[in-house]
Amino acid sequence: MKTTLTLIKADIGSIGGHVRPSKESLAAITDYVSKSRWILDYRVFSIGDDIGILMTHTQGKDSPEVHKIAWDAFSFATTIAKEQGLYGAGQDLLKDAFSGNVKGMGPSVAEMEIEERANEPFIVFAADKCDAGAFNLPLYLGFADPMNCAGLLLSPKVSQGFKFTVMDVTYTEGDRVIELNAPDELYELAALIRDNDRFVIEGIYSRATGEQAVAVGTTRLHNIAGKYTGKDDPPMIVRTQSQFPATGEVLAPFKICHYVAGFMRGSHNGPLTPVRVGQGASFFDGPPIVCAQGFCVHNGKLTDGVDMFDSDPIWDSVRAKAAEKALGLREQGFSGPAMLGMNELEYTGVMEILAKLEPRFTVREDFKREEKQMEKILRAKVNDHE
Ligand code: MG
């Protein structure tokens, strides 16, 4: 049976700043989605200030009917968020009316249509306070590095490698993408995806069977809105086991807690911290966080979700390490790598400060004198030579 897995995520307002959505707005979305006739099953959850809706159906990718369910559910919950005076109520709904597809309207989407295997395990990831490139490193390690993914050595199907689709998310005229095969083009892949701000892994496909293993939401909110509206807070779906890496091989790279953009005002770097589903974010409006839920699906019906980063005490140790990393980097405030580079700050007030200061810069006279003398000497040398 062909089943479509659709994960749509948005921030429609939260309590106490950017911490977490209200129970009432979550309940409103659950209530709205449960009444839809288009979907087979669903789950509603939160991570940081975002709400995620996972839906199963048979309408395929980019279905206007299914996307409209999410859009209308978020719109309905926004009215409640506004009534409650939640901070940033409706902030990710960038357009006034639904136009057939939530892509480009604010919410981020990860979806794939699959031929269900006899047993179909998959993981739903949702990240907050970071952008889509935050998944680049974990996906590289999970699908292309035998030091992490033993399946690349031990499983004949996995060892045939994977095809990566990478998107240039700074290009706004359309979807600018490239396909690269691992392991053949491993260095080329690494050369692109080291740049999390620009090149984002959008999908991964088995080279043994052609089946899709990974779908990542690749929206860049500031490109849509024309100004800075927050970080993208990407969703991701990953199928595991058999022809794909094992669940453990996909989850393990999150032990690194690598530094990604999106901390405090979306303008600082911080460690991507694996947390429990429903976790809020209250340390410098962060740190960047990610949750993971494991499911199986059969004929479109979902099992209970397993909270992956709450299923083993080792993740508590990982969180302790992430906390050390977050504390360490935040101690240096705006200095150096703690704050993002100027290319990522172009929608912030710092640009106004720089513009205001620009006319006050002077070039010292003695330098100008030296420069003129140097010019004279060089000219004389040229004349001699002629
Ligand atoms: Mg968020």
Side-chain angles (χ1 to χ4, degrees):
M1 162 180 175
K2 277 207 166 178
T3 301
T4 311
L5 308 173
T6 299
L7 174 62
I8 303 185
K9 194 155 103 37
D11 174 357
I12 54 98
S14 53
I15 302 171
H18 291 290
V19 184
R20 70 160 175 78
S22 69
K23 290 188 181 76
E24 291 77 8
S25 52
L26 275 163
I29 286 176
T30 305
D31 184 49
Y32 194 94
V33 175
S34 69
K35 289 175 181 150
S36 168
R37 65 192 174 91
W38 292 104
I39 58 174
L40 299 171
D41 209 348
Y42 69 95
R43 296 288 182 270
V44 178
F45 63 95
S46 73
I47 172 77
D49 54 12
D50 300 333
I51 296 175
I53 310 173
L54 171 66
M55 296 175 279
T56 62
H57 55 93
T58 55
Q59 304 302 307
K61 282 174 66 174
D62 297 322
S63 156
E65 289 80 12
V66 173
H67 282 215
K68 191 171 187 307
I69 295 164
W71 179 263
D72 288 347
F74 286 130
S75 301
F76 177 50
T78 294
T79 60
I80 288 162
K82 283 183 176 167
E83 278 170 22
Q84 293 185 303
L86 297 193
Y87 185 72
Q91 77 162 46
D92 280 358
L93 306 185
L94 303 176
K95 305 278 167 72
D96 292 329
F98 182 71
S99 60
N101 189 315
V102 293
K103 277 183 191 163
M105 299 186 72
S108 43
V109 187
E111 63 182 345
M112 62 169 105
E113 188 177 38
I114 62 170
E115 190 70 54
E116 279 186 12
R117 297 171 289 176
N119 41 64
E120 186 59 65
F122 68 99
I123 311 171
V124 165
F125 290 90
D128 188 33
K129 321 297 181 197
C130 59
D131 49 28
F135 290 133
N136 280 357
L137 180 62
L139 288 174
Y140 174 85
L141 297 172
F143 284 80
D145 183 358
M147 288 290 282
N148 175 82
C149 177
L152 292 167
L153 306 180
L154 303 177
S155 160
K157 278 188 179 168
V158 175
S159 68
Q160 290 183 46
F162 294 90
K163 181 182 79 181
F164 289 69
T165 308
V166 177
M167 182 182 283
D168 175 357
V169 294
T170 60
Y171 188 79
T172 53
E173 306 299 311
D175 290 349
R176 186 167 186 260
V177 295
I178 185 170
E179 289 180 352
L180 291 167
N181 283 319
D184 325 35
E185 299 173 294
L186 207 57
Y187 298 165
E188 289 84 349
L189 179 64
L192 290 184
I193 64 166
R194 54 151 294 282
D195 185 355
N196 291 340
D197 296 332
R198 180 168 181 191
F199 296 109
V200 174
I201 296 170
E202 176 201 48
I204 302 178
Y205 301 80
S206 162
R207 291 175 74 186
T209 68
E211 290 169 282
Q212 186 168 7
V214 174
V216 181
T218 48
T219 322
R220 286 221 69 169
L221 282 176
H222 67 63
N223 287 342
I224 296 169
K227 62 183 174 57
Y228 186 81
T229 57
K231 277 288 159 189
D232 302 323
D233 301 344
M236 174 167 77
I237 301 170
V238 182
R239 299 165 76 192
T240 59
Q241 306 295 140
S242 185
Q243 64 269 53
F244 306 125
T247 297
E249 291 162 345
V250 171
L251 292 172
F254 290 91
K255 73 181 181 295
I256 296 171
C257 311
H258 65 303
Y259 288 114
V260 297
F263 209 169
M264 198 65 249
R265 294 184 180 272
S267 303
H268 294 77
N269 289 309
L272 184 62
T273 306
V275 298
R276 297 176 180 91
V277 179
Q279 170 80 51
S282 63
F283 178 66
F284 278 110
D285 287 1
I289 50 177
V290 59
C291 69
Q293 296 168 83
F295 294 96
C296 282
V297 62
H298 188 63
N299 294 331
K301 283 284 165 198
L302 294 164
T303 60
D304 287 347
V306 175
D307 189 339
M308 291 298 191
F309 296 138
D310 193 29
S311 293
D312 191 290
I314 201 162
W315 296 108
D316 293 328
S317 304
V318 171
R319 280 187 277 276
K321 179 179 90 168
E324 288 300 320
K325 292 181 74 166
L327 288 163
L329 197 56
R330 287 306 302 139
E331 272 175 6
Q332 65 180 67
F334 58 74
S335 182
M339 192 179 270
L340 303 190
M342 292 311 300
N343 62 324
E344 284 292 302
L345 299 179
E346 60 182 311
Y347 300 101
T348 71
V350 76
M351 302 311 286
E352 286 161 34
I353 297 176
L354 294 185
K356 196 172 75 181
L357 296 180
E358 189 57 33
R360 289 175 54 190
F361 274 99
T362 58
V363 179
R364 288 198 176 114
E365 285 305 316
D366 52 349
F367 177 77
K368 279 186 187 167
R369 245 191 332 268
E370 273 173 31
E371 209 178 30
K372 272 185 190 148
Q373 270 170 357
M374 189 63 78
E375 240 181 73
K376 234 186 243 171
I377 294 165
L378 282 173
R379 209 175 296 129
K381 275 194 177 172
V382 170
N383 290 342
D384 284 354
H385 194 69
E386 281 171 358

